[in-house]
Amino acid sequence: MTPREIAEVAAKALDAKRAKDVIALKVDEMTVITDYMVIGSGRSVPQVKALAEHVEEELAKADLFAKRREGMSEGRWCVLDYGDVMVHIFHEQDREYYQLERLWSTGSNELAIDFETEEKA
C-alpha cells in the first residue's frame, strides 16, 4: 500500500465514524518527518478514542500497524504514526487551539478524497 493509499484509508475511516473536518495533506516537501498528515476531530473524549481505534482497525486489515501511538489514554489529541503517514485526531477544542492545518497547508497540498463511496457507521 502506498503512503497516499494509507492516508486515504485513514481519512475514510475517520469520515465513516463521523469525525469532523477530515483533511489529508501531502507534506513531503515541507518536512522529513512524514509524507502525509491526516487530521480529523471528535466532539468528545470517547469519540476521539473511538476514531483512533477505528483507524487502527481499518489499517490493520492491510497488515499495517502504527509504529507509535500517543495520547490514546487522554483522548484529547491522538497521534498514530505509520511512518510515511501521521494521523492526528483531536478533540475539537484542541484542534482549534493548535491549528495544524494552518501550519501544514499550502493551499495546494490537500488530497482530494472521495468520501461519498464509504458508508457512515
Side-chain angles (χ1 to χ4, degrees):
M1 195 176 262
T2 67
R4 182 186 173 104
E5 290 169 333
I6 295 168
E8 288 176 359
V9 168
K12 287 181 178 184
L14 290 174
D15 184 65
K17 290 293 182 184
R18 303 201 186 281
K20 289 181 65 179
D21 304 320
V22 178
I23 186 172
L25 302 170
K26 188 172 191 277
V27 296
D28 61 338
E29 294 181 8
M30 302 168 73
T31 181
V32 296
I33 297 170
T34 192
D35 291 343
Y36 293 89
M37 287 193 191
V38 178
I39 306 167
S41 47
R43 294 163 191 81
S44 65
V45 167
Q47 186 188 20
V48 170
K49 291 178 181 181
L51 290 166
E53 289 169 2
H54 187 63
V55 169
E56 288 186 307
E57 289 167 6
E58 290 300 305
L59 287 169
K61 290 177 184 177
D63 287 327
L64 295 169
F65 303 94
K67 296 176 182 183
R68 287 184 46 134
R69 306 163 70 226
E70 297 291 335
M72 296 293 282
S73 59
E74 296 85 8
R76 301 293 301 183
W77 179 1
C78 298
V79 180
L80 304 174
D81 180 356
Y82 288 91
D84 293 330
V85 179
M86 300 276 293
V87 181
H88 298 271
I89 306 160
F90 288 94
H91 187 283
E92 57 190 345
Q93 293 167 339
D94 294 288
R95 185 171 178 180
E96 284 179 34
Y97 179 79
Y98 289 104
Q99 297 183 20
L100 282 190
E101 299 95 317
R102 201 174 102 201
L103 180 63
W104 294 105
S105 179
T106 64
S108 63
N109 63 337
E110 184 175 346
L111 299 183
I113 298 175
D114 182 11
F115 292 116
E116 300 302 317
T117 59
E118 296 293 314
E119 252 184 65
K120 304 264 187 206

